[in-house]
Amino acid sequence: MRCWLKIEEMALEELMQRLNAVSQCADEIMHQDIIPLYAADIQDQLRKQFAYLSGGRGGDGCPVITFPDYPAFSEIPEKEFQNVLTYLTSIPSLRDAGIGFILVIDRRQDKWTSVKASILRIAASFPGNLQLVLVLRPTGFFHRALSDIAFRFNKDELKMKVPIIMLGSVSELQGYIDKTQLTEDLGGTLDYCHSRWLSRRTAIEGFAQKVKQTAQILQSFGTELAETELPNDVQSTSSLLATHTEKKDKMKEDIRVAVEQGDDILGSITKPVTENPEYKLNQDQLDNQTTVERLLAQLHETETAFDEFWIKHQQKLEQCLRLRNFEQNFREVKAALDIVSERLSAFTDVGNSSSHVEHILKDLANFEEKSYETIVKARMLASERDAFIQSNHYAVDSIIPKCSELHHLCDAFTTEIEHRRNLLNKSLELHDLLEKSMKWCDEGIYLLASQPVDKCQSQDGAESALQEIEKFLDTGAGNKIKELNKIYREYAHILNEDLKEHVQKVFQKQESMEEMFQKRQVSLKKLAAKQTRPVQPVAPRPEAFVKSPCTSPGLQRENTSNSESSALRRVNYRKGKSEMTELHQSRGGSTMDDEENLAVLRQHVMNELIETERAYVEELLCVLEGYAAEMDNPLMAHLISPELQNKKDILFGNMEEIYHFHNRIFLRELETYVEYPELVGRCFLDQMEDFQIYEKYCQNKPRSESLWRQFSDSVFFQECQRKLDHKLSLDSYLLKPVQRITKYQLLLKEMLKYSKNCEGAEDLQEALTSILGILKAVNDSMHQIAITGYDGNLNELGKLLMQGSFSVWTDHKKGHTKVKDLARFKPMQRHLFLHEKAVLFCKKREENGEGYEKAPSYSYKHSLNMAAVGITENVKGDAKKFEIWYNAREEVYIIQAPTPEVKATWVSEIRKVLTSQLQACREASQHRTLEQTQSLPLPLPASSCASPSRNHTRNTKKMEEKKADITSLEGCGTTVAPKYPEKGKGWAKPSHSLDASEENDGWSSAEEPLNSSDAEEEGGGGGGEMKLTPGKYTVVTDYDKGVSEEFTVKSGDLVQLIREGEDGLWFVKNLSSGREGWIPASNLLMLIGNSKSAQSLSSSESGTASSTLSTSSSCSDSCNVSSTSFSDIKG
């Protein structure tokens, strides 16, 4: 649509340019651009004929203007005289007029006094260049002699820039101008009629005005057409097309009339030549012919320009009408599809008998037949997609999704009706089987009932009945239900409660019937058995006792031992069960169940993470092979437009780099944690630096999306999508990396929620924080690349920490007082970018475009070096305000955040920057003392228990980074001005004369970096994890997070470690309170430290205290070094 609007704007602009050129050319042809005077305006003045342009020419082509004998010459008003002369001199071409005019003044019937007056008047008023003035003096003897004498004496008075020649006769005149160039009243042969000349001039100028007006009318009409909004319905669009076509036809008729007018004028000019081929037009007639021909050419150009514009406009209206028809048909077809889909959804009944199912199948077939017309209509409408594309329809972007939707709905309807038919066929198959089984059971029961009892008493009758039963049972292979569970599995998708109950009843009837057959068979077999002769009873032999069914001694022993072992197992089982019961009671009955549930949930999240990661890698590979690689395929080159060639890097960014990282590294690492989902945070932390590649991809995304919108209709992309059989277009897959990097934080949150008490919880939290940091960095970088007007290199300002929009007031010491006071009440809207070394103030500009192109831009205004910045955290009267001041409050910026939470976040981040600068300065001045402090043994933090070797490596890296950054800080002495830290309390807060609610003003460092776990692990010489053994210990910190909520300990309590249980839990007794409970081993390490007894714990505490004292003293020394530089803040 946007492309079409651009094309129409270009068409209108081209039309305006061409029609403007026609108007200007018409004025130029008629010399109206120099002297805007028309014959119709001075028609009465020209009709007096005191001067006329006959069309004659002098020897060198000079135009001849004749002043005939006009008695009332002196009575002509000056205005009329000026108009006629100006008009006559504007008619010849610029080339001829530039040579100069020849004036022929006929005063043969006049007096000398009039001659003199005429010459003087003409000389004073003539507007053009004069070549020669020829005067036919009076013919009377007296006036002729008088004129000769007077002319000699008045030469100076009649002095002109050109010679004036007094002629006595017409023959003398012909000596200067050829006879063929003079009119008949001057003795020449030139055909001239003043009335005819006047009407022709009026006609030509009227035609010229017609041409100009036509061009102007077409300009207005073209603008009207282009600015007309397209209607949203078929009726209005049809009406608009008819109205515009009618106006166009009227304009064409006006142009046709104008062309006929021009042809008539041209015909009247060339009529003498047509009638007499030997007739030669004079120069004036030739000029008129040329003028009319040029005007006709401009008129044809006007018509051509309008026709070309109309074709495009008509095409737009016709495409709009076609679009409205399509949209109307789409709505109707969509509504019809919704209706048939709704009716289809009512076919949920699977029937209660074979006849019922057959009836439903028949109804379904009738419904499908009635719906066939709707489906065909929908598919035909959807097939118009290709026609719209081939006709370059301006709304193809909105048509294609609708066609795709119709295809999808038709396919879904066809699939669903086929699914319903399959279900009903399955139901029919099941009911046929049930009915066969019922019929078989009925036949079997009838068979049993029809067998005569008296005949079965004989051996032959019993055998015959038995054969009948066996023969009947053989027929059950294809008629009875063999396995009930198999029926349940095979027909699970159609078995509702009623049908399932029916199947059970049929199966029960079948089982009952088969049981009856079995009993009958047993009876008949007994009757059919042959009678044997009676045998005399014989006394048993001694061996008979040995072969009695009693068990042997060996077997008895075996049975005894088995019974004993069974009894032993039962005793052990009861004993183990009682112990487990006690354990569950001591740890809380539901704890184990909860842990199992959490484990299942963790495994579920892990499976989702790995499965979605595999799918993500496959999608990336599919895009790279199906789209990116195809752009380099010579066989596909003809489908790629020239503008799209060599744009692969812009379109896909660094997607290939992302794919290789996930396929070769991250996915394989994830799969190693499949059995240990709670530890997956380590996998993320190990690869966290590699996730920075997403920042590059997201920064390129606006350029990629802009390029895609420009070429989304390309045949190349459509062909690639068809080959890949993708339902979604490429832009959906280009968005996958952005969606994936945001998905990780959701999965990590889920995993962390189910892993609160697990070993890897700390790594999961750190991984989540890092991923969120990457997302924030990506978002911030998207804003940072939109900064304009900054002369330096933004990368030199350090890492971008925060960005956001604020209201800003200025309060500077320098500047006019009035301006200063005024600035307090008029805030500026500024977007701030906080870097490690500077804070930038920018102005947010208007958002334009669509999608990523709608992102704002930021105009750089000024910046502050963080080395000279201070902050005031609270401003009286507004909880959302804080101050940033510069160079000892020489410049003060009052910042108002959108919310108090945003303000708190910014103040915290700025405080961290200032504190890090101060810390770097202190570390630089006390580097050697710092190393000694780090070597002191510090208490082992709880966070290091899970994986000490990993944390030690990570903390060592952090300390090395801190040392490396010490030398890179500049101006640390003037950064901030905290008070000296008190012993063991970190940095004290500066006092301000504010309300009680504003006691936290200024900046402070509430934490002492040297007491962190990083320094502790580096300084402590511990190797592996501490081994807990039963014994008594003194608690060094409070704890209320045991497995049993009633079990708590406080600092100073004496506890006894009794035994170690499962899952890293220790059973502990608080000797101070007498309570018992289970505590994780990692928490015990935090509670009791490295000591083995109360005495050793005390010494550990003293060691820690001495370490803190040493640290505080070193901080004080470093502050003393730069105390003079921080005086501004204290003041």
Side-chain angles (χ1 to χ4, degrees):
M1 181 67 179
R2 295 193 303 273
C3 182
W4 174 261
L5 291 176
K6 185 175 180 181
I7 292 174
E8 188 175 35
E9 289 176 1
M10 293 173 62
L12 178 62
E13 183 178 357
E14 180 183 356
L15 177 66
M16 296 297 106
Q17 292 176 353
R18 294 175 69 175
L19 294 181
N20 281 330
V22 168
S23 299
Q24 294 174 2
C25 191
D27 289 337
E28 180 183 350
I29 292 172
M30 300 305 298
H31 301 164
Q32 296 300 321
D33 56 335
I34 301 175
I35 303 174
L37 197 60
Y38 294 94
D41 298 333
I42 58 173
Q43 189 172 2
D44 294 335
Q45 302 167 24
L46 290 172
R47 191 173 284 114
K48 293 178 180 180
Q49 199 177 350
F50 59 84
Y52 61 89
L53 188 66
S54 63
R57 292 290 188 270
D60 52 358
C62 299
V64 177
I65 296 179
T66 303
F67 289 84
D69 188 18
Y70 191 80
F73 187 84
S74 60
E75 298 175 3
I76 299 172
E78 185 63 26
K79 181 66 175 176
E80 293 182 9
F81 188 79
Q82 286 285 348
N83 287 342
V84 171
L85 290 183
T86 301
Y87 179 76
L88 293 177
T89 55
S90 67
I91 294 175
S93 65
L94 296 177
R95 183 182 62 81
D96 293 342
I99 298 174
F101 290 85
I102 297 177
L103 303 185
V104 177
I105 305 174
D106 185 9
R107 291 296 179 263
R108 288 176 292 176
Q109 304 299 324
D110 209 343
K111 300 177 182 180
W112 165 248
T113 55
S114 299
V115 172
K116 177 182 177 182
S118 298
I119 295 174
L120 290 175
R121 186 174 188 182
I122 293 170
S125 302
F126 194 82
N129 296 330
L130 285 173
Q131 182 74 18
L132 183 64
V133 179
L134 302 174
V135 182
L136 288 173
R137 58 190 175 183
T139 57
F141 178 79
F142 175 77
H143 289 288
R144 180 177 181 180
L146 181 61
S147 62
D148 289 338
I149 297 171
F151 182 75
R152 291 189 184 99
F153 286 100
N154 293 302
K155 270 189 175 181
D156 295 335
E157 186 177 353
L158 298 173
K159 191 174 183 180
M160 299 176 68
K161 295 182 180 179
V162 296
I164 301 176
I165 301 175
M166 303 296 289
L167 303 175
S169 64
V170 174
S171 60
E172 291 181 10
L173 177 61
Q174 293 174 359
Y176 291 91
I177 300 175
D178 190 77
K179 183 178 181 179
T180 59
Q181 301 299 318
L182 295 173
T183 57
E184 292 178 357
D185 59 335
L186 294 177
T189 61
L190 181 63
D191 181 23
Y192 175 77
C193 176
H194 189 68
S195 59
R196 183 180 63 195
W197 176 88
L198 183 58
S199 63
R200 184 168 294 168
R201 286 300 306 177
T202 304
I204 293 174
E205 291 175 356
F207 177 62
Q209 286 182 317
K210 183 71 173 178
V211 172
K212 184 176 179 180
Q213 289 174 359
T214 301
Q216 292 173 346
I217 291 173
L218 289 179
Q219 279 183 317
S220 302
F221 184 51
T223 303
E224 178 187 350
L225 296 182
E227 293 178 353
T228 302
E229 292 186 2
L230 300 179
N232 293 323
D233 59 282
V234 175
Q235 184 63 33
S236 300
T237 307
S238 300
S239 177
L240 180 65
L241 179 58
T243 302
H244 283 190
T245 303
E246 183 180 353
K247 290 183 179 180
K248 184 268 298 184
D249 293 338
K250 186 177 181 303
M251 292 300 303
K252 291 286 288 183
E253 179 63 21
D254 293 341
I255 294 174
R256 187 190 63 79
V257 172
V259 171
E260 288 183 356
Q261 180 183 348
D263 291 337
D264 292 340
I265 297 173
L266 186 62
S268 67
I269 295 173
T270 59
K271 183 178 181 182
V273 178
T274 305
E275 296 175 350
N276 183 12
E278 296 181 1
Y279 183 88
K280 292 185 178 180
L281 299 176
N282 60 43
Q283 189 62 41
D284 186 44
Q285 293 171 329
L286 292 173
D287 289 344
N288 288 341
Q289 180 183 356
T290 303
T291 298
V292 175
E293 290 174 348
R294 292 179 64 188
L295 289 173
L296 282 171
Q298 293 303 314
L299 189 59
H300 288 306
E301 167 63 14
T302 300
E303 185 177 15
T304 302
F306 178 73
D307 287 342
E308 292 176 0
F309 173 79
W310 171 254
I311 290 173
K312 296 177 181 178
H313 179 71
Q314 184 182 29
Q315 181 185 5
K316 181 189 75 171
L317 289 180
E318 290 175 349
Q319 288 188 351
C320 178
L321 180 60
R322 188 179 177 189
L323 174 63
R324 299 304 176 233
N325 281 316
F326 173 83
E327 290 175 342
Q328 180 174 328
N329 294 335
F330 173 80
R331 287 191 292 270
E332 294 173 357
V333 170
K334 178 71 163 50
L337 286 175
D338 291 340
I339 292 174
V340 298
S341 298
E342 184 178 359
R343 291 177 180 174
L344 177 61
S345 62
F347 282 87
T348 56
D349 194 359
V350 293
N352 51 27
S353 65
S354 296
S355 59
H356 188 202
V357 175
E358 289 174 352
H359 181 71
I360 297 175
L361 280 170
K362 186 176 180 181
D363 291 342
L364 183 64
N366 292 334
F367 170 75
E368 183 179 11
E369 184 178 356
K370 292 178 181 178
S371 304
Y372 177 78
E373 184 179 353
T374 300
I375 299 300
V376 169
K377 188 175 180 181
R379 290 196 182 278
M380 288 181 62
L381 186 62
S383 64
E384 293 181 14
R385 169 182 175 271
D386 294 335
F388 279 109
I389 294 175
Q390 292 175 2
S391 62
N392 293 323
H393 197 282
Y394 68 88
V396 69
D397 288 343
S398 63
I399 293 171
I400 291 178
K402 289 182 173 65
C403 294
S404 300
E405 183 179 359
L406 290 177
H407 277 302
H408 175 71
L409 290 174
C410 292
D411 293 340
F413 177 83
T414 305
T415 303
E416 182 62 19
I417 204 167
E418 191 64 29
H419 176 65
R420 297 289 179 184
R421 184 182 291 107
N422 292 336
L423 290 179
L424 290 172
N425 288 331
K426 273 288 185 183
S427 178
L428 181 61
E429 180 182 327
L430 177 59
H431 279 101
D432 287 340
L433 178 60
L434 295 176
E435 290 179 2
K436 286 181 179 179
S437 178
M438 290 284 290
K439 183 179 179 181
W440 184 68
C441 290
D442 292 339
E443 292 175 352
I445 293 172
Y446 176 78
L447 174 64
L448 292 178
S450 63
Q451 287 182 340
V453 179
D454 54 340
K455 289 185 178 182
C456 295
Q457 297 301 317
S458 66
Q459 183 178 0
D460 294 337
E463 288 179 352
S464 176
L466 191 60
Q467 289 176 359
E468 288 180 352
I469 291 175
E470 290 174 351
K471 183 178 180 181
F472 177 79
L473 291 176
D474 291 339
T475 63
N479 295 320
K480 70 175 183 178
I481 301 174
K482 297 179 181 179
E483 295 180 20
L484 188 60
N485 290 334
K486 184 178 180 181
I487 295 294
Y488 287 162
R489 289 194 303 271
E490 186 175 355
Y491 300 97
H493 45 290
I494 63 170
L495 283 176
N496 51 35
E497 292 297 325
D498 294 338
L499 187 55
K500 192 172 183 180
E501 183 179 357
H502 181 49
V503 171
Q504 290 174 348
K505 289 180 178 179
V506 172
F507 188 74
Q508 289 173 359
K509 182 177 181 180
Q510 178 183 298
E511 285 185 327
S512 300
M513 190 271 294
E514 288 179 335
E515 185 178 357
M516 292 168 61
F517 268 71
Q518 289 175 0
K519 291 180 179 179
R520 178 67 62 88
Q521 281 180 311
V522 171
S523 300
L524 291 174
K525 285 180 179 179
K526 289 180 179 179
L527 293 173
K530 292 181 179 181
Q531 297 294 329
T532 57
R533 292 179 301 171
V535 178
Q536 294 294 332
V538 180
R541 290 178 294 177
E543 296 91 310
F545 293 100
V546 179
K547 296 181 180 179
S548 67
C550 297
T551 56
S552 64
L555 187 58
Q556 287 180 351
R557 285 195 300 270
E558 183 180 349
N559 291 340
T560 303
S561 64
N562 288 338
S563 62
E564 289 176 355
S565 62
S566 176
L568 182 61
R569 284 197 298 270
R570 286 196 296 272
V571 171
N572 292 336
Y573 172 77
R574 293 192 189 98
K575 182 179 179 181
K577 184 175 181 181
S578 62
E579 290 179 355
M580 290 298 296
T581 303
E582 292 177 0
L583 180 63
H584 274 280
Q585 290 175 351
S586 64
R587 295 175 55 183
S590 62
T591 302
M592 291 301 293
D593 293 338
D594 292 342
E595 283 299 323
E596 291 178 359
N597 293 336
L598 290 176
V600 172
L601 292 173
R602 286 195 298 269
Q603 193 61 51
H604 175 72
V605 176
M606 190 65 191
N607 292 339
E608 181 182 359
L609 175 60
I610 293 178
E611 288 172 5
T612 54
E613 185 70 15
R614 289 170 180 163
Y616 174 55
V617 170
E618 290 177 1
E619 287 173 342
L620 292 181
L621 179 61
C622 188
V623 171
L624 291 174
E625 291 183 347
Y627 286 98
E630 289 296 305
M631 293 186 72
D632 299 328
N633 186 356
L635 299 178
M636 298 284 285
H638 66 284
L639 300 177
I640 304 176
S641 59
E643 297 81 2
L644 185 59
Q645 292 178 354
N646 301 322
K647 297 290 180 63
K648 185 172 72 171
D649 292 340
I650 297 177
L651 185 61
F652 298 97
N654 62 329
M655 181 182 283
E656 185 174 357
E657 182 183 6
I658 293 175
Y659 165 73
H660 288 313
F661 161 63
H662 285 271
N663 183 50
R664 299 174 181 174
I665 301 174
F666 190 63
L667 177 57
R668 297 180 183 179
E669 289 294 322
L670 278 179
E671 290 172 343
T672 61
Y673 287 87
V674 66
E675 300 295 334
Y676 312 99
E678 66 276 4
L679 304 179
V680 75
R682 298 178 185 175
C683 179
F684 279 89
L685 291 174
D686 290 341
Q687 311 301 331
M688 195 56 64
E689 291 184 2
D690 292 322
F691 279 104
Q692 303 295 332
I693 58 179
Y694 279 91
E695 185 172 343
K696 180 180 178 182
Y697 186 84
C698 293
Q699 288 177 353
N700 180 69
K701 196 69 177 69
R703 299 173 63 205
S704 173
E705 189 178 71
S706 176
L707 184 65
W708 165 253
R709 281 201 303 272
Q710 187 178 355
F711 298 101
S712 59
D713 298 334
S714 173
V715 180
F716 168 76
F717 293 126
Q718 296 174 5
E719 179 64 17
C720 291
Q721 184 177 349
R722 186 191 65 78
K723 289 182 178 180
L724 293 172
D725 195 22
H726 282 177
K727 294 182 179 180
L728 300 176
S729 55
L730 174 61
D731 59 325
S732 300
Y733 292 93
L734 293 177
L735 196 60
K736 293 291 183 182
V738 181
Q739 296 171 337
R740 187 59 183 171
I741 191 65
T742 57
K743 177 73 173 177
Y744 287 132
Q745 55 103 3
L746 300 176
L747 294 171
L748 285 173
K749 284 180 181 178
E750 286 293 307
M751 185 66 77
L752 182 61
K753 183 169 68 174
Y754 306 135
S755 310
K756 291 291 179 64
N757 298 323
C758 297
E759 177 186 356
E762 187 176 335
D763 286 339
L764 284 171
Q765 182 61 56
E766 187 177 351
L768 174 60
T769 304
S770 300
I771 285 291
L772 292 174
I774 288 177
L775 292 176
K776 177 182 177 299
V778 169
N779 181 59
D780 291 345
S781 68
M782 297 295 289
H783 289 271
Q784 184 180 12
I785 63 176
I787 297 177
T788 60
Y790 184 74
D791 294 334
N793 185 357
L794 291 173
N795 295 328
E796 295 178 356
L797 302 181
K799 181 181 179 182
L800 177 60
L801 305 174
M802 302 281 288
Q803 54 84 24
S805 295
F806 300 88
S807 297
V808 179
W809 288 263
T810 59
D811 187 6
H812 303 338
K813 290 182 179 180
K814 296 181 180 180
H816 198 275
T817 306
K818 185 176 181 180
V819 176
K820 173 183 174 184
D821 295 338
L822 183 63
R824 293 176 180 270
F825 302 101
K826 291 188 177 181
M828 299 175 291
Q829 298 303 317
R830 291 289 182 263
H831 201 90
L832 272 60
F833 292 85
L834 177 63
H835 293 75
E836 291 176 326
K837 297 182 181 179
V839 56
L840 272 60
F841 290 76
C842 300
K843 184 175 182 180
K844 189 176 182 180
R845 296 299 181 187
E846 294 287 337
E847 299 179 356
N848 299 311
E850 294 183 0
Y852 280 96
E853 291 183 356
K854 199 174 182 181
S857 63
Y858 305 97
S859 178
Y860 169 77
K861 294 301 181 182
H862 64 280
S863 60
L864 303 177
N865 190 341
M866 291 302 293
V869 162
I871 61 169
T872 302
E873 296 186 17
N874 293 309
V875 175
K876 187 175 183 179
D878 194 337
K880 296 184 291 184
K881 289 183 179 179
F882 63 97
E883 285 184 352
I884 297 179
W885 39 268
Y886 193 66
N887 283 344
R889 301 186 70 85
E890 183 177 290
E891 300 178 18
V892 179
Y893 300 89
I894 302 173
I895 313 296
Q896 185 182 45
T899 63
E901 292 77 14
V902 174
K903 168 203 165 180
T905 304
W906 273 74
V907 167
S908 175
E909 198 65 34
I910 295 174
R911 187 193 303 121
K912 288 179 183 179
V913 174
L914 301 181
T915 305
S916 64
Q917 291 181 350
L918 175 64
Q919 184 67 26
C921 180
R922 291 166 52 200
E923 289 177 354
S925 61
Q926 297 291 334
H927 186 57
R928 185 172 301 174
T929 305
L930 178 62
E931 290 180 348
Q932 296 174 356
T933 304
Q934 290 175 341
S935 64
L936 294 175
L938 299 178
L940 186 63
S943 61
S944 65
C945 296
S947 53
S949 61
R950 170 179 171 79
N951 288 342
H952 179 74
T953 304
R954 195 180 307 156
N955 293 333
T956 304
K957 182 178 180 180
K958 291 180 181 177
M959 293 305 298
E960 291 175 354
E961 291 176 354
K962 287 183 179 179
K963 295 175 183 177
D965 289 342
I966 290 175
T967 58
S968 64
L969 290 171
E970 297 178 2
C972 59
T974 60
T975 303
V976 287
K979 291 184 177 181
Y980 297 132
E982 297 179 4
K983 178 179 178 181
K985 293 185 179 180
W987 295 103
K989 299 179 176 62
S991 60
H992 294 272
S993 58
L994 297 174
D995 297 341
S997 62
E998 300 175 358
E999 293 179 0
N1000 291 331
D1001 283 357
W1003 71 275
S1004 65
S1005 176
E1007 299 176 352
E1008 180 58 57
L1010 296 178
N1011 290 334
S1012 66
S1013 61
D1014 295 344
E1016 185 176 318
E1017 285 193 331
E1018 284 196 351
E1025 189 173 305
M1026 174 183 172
K1027 181 67 175 178
L1028 292 173
T1029 57
K1032 295 181 179 180
Y1033 298 86
T1034 300
V1035 177
V1036 297
T1037 183
D1038 295 347
Y1039 179 77
D1040 58 355
K1041 299 179 181 178
V1043 176
S1044 176
E1045 294 181 357
E1046 297 179 354
F1047 181 74
T1048 59
V1049 295
K1050 295 183 179 180
S1051 177
D1053 288 352
L1054 188 64
V1055 297
Q1056 182 176 4
L1057 272 64
I1058 299 175
R1059 68 177 181 274
E1060 184 178 5
E1062 298 179 355
D1063 298 334
L1065 296 175
W1066 274 83
F1067 191 70
V1068 180
K1069 182 175 183 180
N1070 188 342
L1071 300 178
S1072 301
S1073 63
R1075 297 180 181 272
E1076 297 177 343
W1078 292 90
I1079 297 180
S1082 58
N1083 292 339
L1084 279 174
L1085 293 173
M1086 177 184 69
L1087 292 175
I1088 64 177
N1090 294 325
S1091 59
K1092 283 294 182 85
S1093 63
Q1095 290 76 12
S1096 62
L1097 184 62
S1098 300
S1099 64
S1100 175
E1101 290 176 348
S1102 65
T1104 304
S1106 64
S1107 172
T1108 305
L1109 287 173
S1110 176
T1111 302
S1112 301
S1113 63
S1114 66
C1115 293
S1116 301
D1117 295 340
S1118 65
C1119 289
N1120 290 335
V1121 173
S1122 57
S1123 59
T1124 58
S1125 302
F1126 302 144
S1127 59
D1128 292 338
I1129 300 180
K1130 292 182 179 182

